[in-house]
Amino acid sequence: MSARLTLRAEDHDHGERVDVVLARHTDLSRARAQHAVQGGRVFRRGIAVDKPSLRVESGDTLEVELSDPAPAEAAPEDIPLRVVFEDEAIIVVDKPPGLVVHPAPGHPSGTLVNALLHHCDDLTGVGDALRPGLVHRIDRQTSGLLVVAKSDAALAALQPQFAAHTVRREYWAICARVSGPGLLDQGTFDTRHGRHATDRKRFTGQRGTRRAVTHYSVLRRFEEGAMLVACRLETGRTHQIRVHLSEAGAPILGDDLYAPPAVARSPLVERLALHARTLGFTHPDGRTLDFEAPLPDDLTAAIARLDKGASWRR
């Protein structure tokens, strides 16, 4: 549940940062105000604010969505895990679709982190209390590989690799051309990434200050413009592949956020047809590790149906 709070900036607020104004006129701390901005839950004149440093003008209407607070820390839960690799420093798992990665408002339990805390005796206290050991994440409906640090030293070794974009990550997606010329056999998306101007849940490659780069290759082509596409991440922005494919006119099947209804409700899949297939990085002890997770049964079945000429349309 969430509520929306509305306020109007006064003359003495003119030129102040939006997080300062929110903290001044509400019960929010400045840190919570910044978190609300970063979560796309603050709007000025009806448009989502994309940075806490935005300067407010006198008379501006500000709205902030107040979500129920997340739990202070995650608790262990006996949830099955698909462990691909584990040693004293790290654990690599193959996340099934539908499993949220970490607790948050609306998902206080039943997450991958809860499962990891039950599986790993030594994970508690590694980094953030709600995200212990996490150095990256994938969407709830995306399946595939994640690496988690089991110690502060391992976390310190892995985080710079993700920040420097040296981690090797490839995703496979089933998508469909709905507009434009379609995808070349291979290419690169290189855009500026930011939150959508009016929809707080979405991102776009048309605005923003962060660079987003995806290299793609079309692995298979099917009837009616359907494709199996391999996407190699150079950067790792939120929803990056979903945004790039959608804005190229080839959204992912089952994507109810970025795809038109015909694609979002494809009869071939019951979730986002995106899978984190490969993951490679340097182990904290210096070894080079590479992992691969085969496509799960639902995506394999969808491809088999496409091979037989099935339509992706409902």
PDB file of all heavy atoms in Angstrom, residues 104-123:
ATOM      1  N   ALA A 104      11.693  -5.778  -0.042  1.00  0.00           N
ATOM      2  CA  ALA A 104      11.391  -4.387  -0.338  1.00  0.00           C
ATOM      3  C   ALA A 104       9.923  -4.175  -0.021  1.00  0.00           C
ATOM      4  O   ALA A 104       9.185  -5.143   0.208  1.00  0.00           O
ATOM      5  CB  ALA A 104      11.677  -4.080  -1.817  1.00  0.00           C
ATOM      6  N   PRO A 105       9.448  -2.930   0.016  1.00  0.00           N
ATOM      7  CA  PRO A 105       8.020  -2.712   0.229  1.00  0.00           C
ATOM      8  C   PRO A 105       7.190  -3.507  -0.778  1.00  0.00           C
ATOM      9  O   PRO A 105       7.439  -3.460  -1.973  1.00  0.00           O
ATOM     10  CB  PRO A 105       7.874  -1.200   0.009  1.00  0.00           C
ATOM     11  CG  PRO A 105       9.201  -0.641   0.411  1.00  0.00           C
ATOM     12  CD  PRO A 105      10.203  -1.660  -0.055  1.00  0.00           C
ATOM     13  N   GLY A 106       6.232  -4.249  -0.286  1.00  0.00           N
ATOM     14  CA  GLY A 106       5.424  -5.102  -1.144  1.00  0.00           C
ATOM     15  C   GLY A 106       5.942  -6.522  -1.220  1.00  0.00           C
ATOM     16  O   GLY A 106       5.202  -7.443  -1.588  1.00  0.00           O
ATOM     17  N   HIS A 107       7.228  -6.722  -0.904  1.00  0.00           N
ATOM     18  CA  HIS A 107       7.837  -8.061  -0.904  1.00  0.00           C
ATOM     19  C   HIS A 107       8.741  -8.192   0.322  1.00  0.00           C
ATOM     20  O   HIS A 107       9.965  -8.285   0.193  1.00  0.00           O
ATOM     21  CB  HIS A 107       8.639  -8.280  -2.193  1.00  0.00           C
ATOM     22  CG  HIS A 107       7.812  -8.237  -3.435  1.00  0.00           C
ATOM     23  ND1 HIS A 107       6.980  -9.264  -3.813  1.00  0.00           N
ATOM     24  CD2 HIS A 107       7.679  -7.266  -4.371  1.00  0.00           C
ATOM     25  CE1 HIS A 107       6.368  -8.927  -4.947  1.00  0.00           C
ATOM     26  NE2 HIS A 107       6.767  -7.730  -5.294  1.00  0.00           N
ATOM     27  N   PRO A 108       8.156  -8.225   1.519  1.00  0.00           N
ATOM     28  CA  PRO A 108       8.990  -8.260   2.730  1.00  0.00           C
ATOM     29  C   PRO A 108       9.650  -9.601   2.990  1.00  0.00           C
ATOM     30  O   PRO A 108      10.571  -9.688   3.806  1.00  0.00           O
ATOM     31  CB  PRO A 108       7.994  -7.915   3.840  1.00  0.00           C
ATOM     32  CG  PRO A 108       6.679  -8.421   3.312  1.00  0.00           C
ATOM     33  CD  PRO A 108       6.717  -8.161   1.829  1.00  0.00           C
ATOM     34  N   SER A 109       9.206 -10.661   2.316  1.00  0.00           N
ATOM     35  CA  SER A 109       9.752 -11.993   2.565  1.00  0.00           C
ATOM     36  C   SER A 109       9.603 -12.830   1.305  1.00  0.00           C
ATOM     37  O   SER A 109       9.096 -12.369   0.280  1.00  0.00           O
ATOM     38  CB  SER A 109       9.031 -12.653   3.741  1.00  0.00           C
ATOM     39  OG  SER A 109       7.642 -12.809   3.448  1.00  0.00           O
ATOM     40  N   GLY A 110      10.065 -14.081   1.389  1.00  0.00           N
ATOM     41  CA  GLY A 110       9.937 -14.983   0.252  1.00  0.00           C
ATOM     42  C   GLY A 110      10.840 -14.643  -0.906  1.00  0.00           C
ATOM     43  O   GLY A 110      10.541 -14.968  -2.052  1.00  0.00           O
ATOM     44  N   THR A 111      11.979 -14.023  -0.632  1.00  0.00           N
ATOM     45  CA  THR A 111      12.887 -13.570  -1.681  1.00  0.00           C
ATOM     46  C   THR A 111      14.140 -14.455  -1.749  1.00  0.00           C
ATOM     47  O   THR A 111      14.374 -15.308  -0.892  1.00  0.00           O
ATOM     48  CB  THR A 111      13.330 -12.116  -1.436  1.00  0.00           C
ATOM     49  OG1 THR A 111      14.241 -12.082  -0.323  1.00  0.00           O
ATOM     50  CG2 THR A 111      12.133 -11.216  -1.140  1.00  0.00           C
ATOM     51  N   LEU A 112      14.935 -14.197  -2.768  1.00  0.00           N
ATOM     52  CA  LEU A 112      16.203 -14.909  -2.908  1.00  0.00           C
ATOM     53  C   LEU A 112      17.102 -14.673  -1.697  1.00  0.00           C
ATOM     54  O   LEU A 112      17.776 -15.598  -1.222  1.00  0.00           O
ATOM     55  CB  LEU A 112      16.903 -14.462  -4.194  1.00  0.00           C
ATOM     56  CG  LEU A 112      18.294 -15.063  -4.451  1.00  0.00           C
ATOM     57  CD1 LEU A 112      18.202 -16.564  -4.687  1.00  0.00           C
ATOM     58  CD2 LEU A 112      18.963 -14.375  -5.645  1.00  0.00           C
ATOM     59  N   VAL A 113      17.128 -13.454  -1.190  1.00  0.00           N
ATOM     60  CA  VAL A 113      17.953 -13.160  -0.016  1.00  0.00           C
ATOM     61  C   VAL A 113      17.507 -13.997   1.173  1.00  0.00           C
ATOM     62  O   VAL A 113      18.341 -14.539   1.916  1.00  0.00           O
ATOM     63  CB  VAL A 113      17.901 -11.655   0.312  1.00  0.00           C
ATOM     64  CG1 VAL A 113      18.348 -11.391   1.752  1.00  0.00           C
ATOM     65  CG2 VAL A 113      18.802 -10.875  -0.645  1.00  0.00           C
ATOM     66  N   ASN A 114      16.203 -14.134   1.397  1.00  0.00           N
ATOM     67  CA  ASN A 114      15.721 -14.980   2.495  1.00  0.00           C
ATOM     68  C   ASN A 114      16.193 -16.422   2.321  1.00  0.00           C
ATOM     69  O   ASN A 114      16.584 -17.079   3.287  1.00  0.00           O
ATOM     70  CB  ASN A 114      14.194 -14.936   2.564  1.00  0.00           C
ATOM     71  CG  ASN A 114      13.643 -13.553   2.835  1.00  0.00           C
ATOM     72  OD1 ASN A 114      13.028 -12.939   1.962  1.00  0.00           O
ATOM     73  ND2 ASN A 114      13.859 -13.037   4.039  1.00  0.00           N
ATOM     74  N   ALA A 115      16.163 -16.911   1.078  1.00  0.00           N
ATOM     75  CA  ALA A 115      16.637 -18.270   0.799  1.00  0.00           C
ATOM     76  C   ALA A 115      18.135 -18.392   1.057  1.00  0.00           C
ATOM     77  O   ALA A 115      18.606 -19.381   1.628  1.00  0.00           O
ATOM     78  CB  ALA A 115      16.314 -18.646  -0.642  1.00  0.00           C
ATOM     79  N   LEU A 116      18.900 -17.389   0.644  1.00  0.00           N
ATOM     80  CA  LEU A 116      20.345 -17.419   0.834  1.00  0.00           C
ATOM     81  C   LEU A 116      20.725 -17.392   2.315  1.00  0.00           C
ATOM     82  O   LEU A 116      21.673 -18.066   2.737  1.00  0.00           O
ATOM     83  CB  LEU A 116      20.982 -16.232   0.111  1.00  0.00           C
ATOM     84  CG  LEU A 116      21.020 -16.321  -1.420  1.00  0.00           C
ATOM     85  CD1 LEU A 116      21.350 -14.955  -2.025  1.00  0.00           C
ATOM     86  CD2 LEU A 116      22.042 -17.358  -1.869  1.00  0.00           C
ATOM     87  N   LEU A 117      19.995 -16.608   3.099  1.00  0.00           N
ATOM     88  CA  LEU A 117      20.292 -16.540   4.528  1.00  0.00           C
ATOM     89  C   LEU A 117      20.054 -17.895   5.201  1.00  0.00           C
ATOM     90  O   LEU A 117      20.749 -18.246   6.165  1.00  0.00           O
ATOM     91  CB  LEU A 117      19.429 -15.468   5.193  1.00  0.00           C
ATOM     92  CG  LEU A 117      19.839 -14.019   4.904  1.00  0.00           C
ATOM     93  CD1 LEU A 117      18.764 -13.062   5.378  1.00  0.00           C
ATOM     94  CD2 LEU A 117      21.178 -13.689   5.555  1.00  0.00           C
ATOM     95  N   HIS A 118      19.088 -18.660   4.713  1.00  0.00           N
ATOM     96  CA  HIS A 118      18.846 -19.997   5.248  1.00  0.00           C
ATOM     97  C   HIS A 118      19.938 -20.970   4.797  1.00  0.00           C
ATOM     98  O   HIS A 118      20.376 -21.832   5.557  1.00  0.00           O
ATOM     99  CB  HIS A 118      17.470 -20.493   4.795  1.00  0.00           C
ATOM    100  CG  HIS A 118      17.115 -21.850   5.311  1.00  0.00           C
ATOM    101  ND1 HIS A 118      17.444 -23.022   4.646  1.00  0.00           N
ATOM    102  CD2 HIS A 118      16.470 -22.236   6.442  1.00  0.00           C
ATOM    103  CE1 HIS A 118      17.003 -24.053   5.339  1.00  0.00           C
ATOM    104  NE2 HIS A 118      16.409 -23.603   6.433  1.00  0.00           N
ATOM    105  N   HIS A 119      20.379 -20.809   3.554  1.00  0.00           N
ATOM    106  CA  HIS A 119      21.372 -21.727   2.987  1.00  0.00           C
ATOM    107  C   HIS A 119      22.783 -21.457   3.494  1.00  0.00           C
ATOM    108  O   HIS A 119      23.555 -22.400   3.728  1.00  0.00           O
ATOM    109  CB  HIS A 119      21.341 -21.608   1.458  1.00  0.00           C
ATOM    110  CG  HIS A 119      22.353 -22.458   0.767  1.00  0.00           C
ATOM    111  ND1 HIS A 119      22.123 -23.787   0.468  1.00  0.00           N
ATOM    112  CD2 HIS A 119      23.613 -22.181   0.314  1.00  0.00           C
ATOM    113  CE1 HIS A 119      23.176 -24.289  -0.144  1.00  0.00           C
ATOM    114  NE2 HIS A 119      24.098 -23.341  -0.246  1.00  0.00           N
ATOM    115  N   CYS A 120      23.138 -20.174   3.675  1.00  0.00           N
ATOM    116  CA  CYS A 120      24.506 -19.779   4.043  1.00  0.00           C
ATOM    117  C   CYS A 120      24.539 -19.325   5.503  1.00  0.00           C
ATOM    118  O   CYS A 120      23.926 -18.321   5.858  1.00  0.00           O
ATOM    119  CB  CYS A 120      25.001 -18.640   3.152  1.00  0.00           C
ATOM    120  SG  CYS A 120      24.921 -18.964   1.378  1.00  0.00           S
ATOM    121  N   ASP A 121      25.278 -20.033   6.311  1.00  0.00           N
ATOM    122  CA  ASP A 121      25.362 -19.693   7.726  1.00  0.00           C
ATOM    123  C   ASP A 121      26.102 -18.380   7.973  1.00  0.00           C
ATOM    124  O   ASP A 121      25.902 -17.732   9.002  1.00  0.00           O
ATOM    125  CB  ASP A 121      26.073 -20.810   8.502  1.00  0.00           C
ATOM    126  CG  ASP A 121      25.283 -22.105   8.498  1.00  0.00           C
ATOM    127  OD1 ASP A 121      24.052 -22.041   8.370  1.00  0.00           O
ATOM    128  OD2 ASP A 121      25.915 -23.180   8.602  1.00  0.00           O
ATOM    129  N   ASP A 122      26.962 -17.987   7.026  1.00  0.00           N
ATOM    130  CA  ASP A 122      27.863 -16.858   7.263  1.00  0.00           C
ATOM    131  C   ASP A 122      27.528 -15.632   6.415  1.00  0.00           C
ATOM    132  O   ASP A 122      28.364 -14.749   6.248  1.00  0.00           O
ATOM    133  CB  ASP A 122      29.309 -17.279   6.991  1.00  0.00           C
ATOM    134  CG  ASP A 122      29.471 -17.980   5.638  1.00  0.00           C
ATOM    135  OD1 ASP A 122      28.446 -18.204   4.962  1.00  0.00           O
ATOM    136  OD2 ASP A 122      30.618 -18.301   5.280  1.00  0.00           O
ATOM    137  N   LEU A 123      26.289 -15.527   5.903  1.00  0.00           N
ATOM    138  CA  LEU A 123      25.956 -14.401   5.024  1.00  0.00           C
ATOM    139  C   LEU A 123      25.487 -13.171   5.795  1.00  0.00           C
ATOM    140  O   LEU A 123      25.670 -12.037   5.344  1.00  0.00           O
ATOM    141  CB  LEU A 123      24.877 -14.831   4.026  1.00  0.00           C
ATOM    142  CG  LEU A 123      24.584 -13.869   2.874  1.00  0.00           C
ATOM    143  CD1 LEU A 123      25.811 -13.688   1.990  1.00  0.00           C
ATOM    144  CD2 LEU A 123      23.406 -14.381   2.048  1.00  0.00           C
TER     145      LEU A 123
END
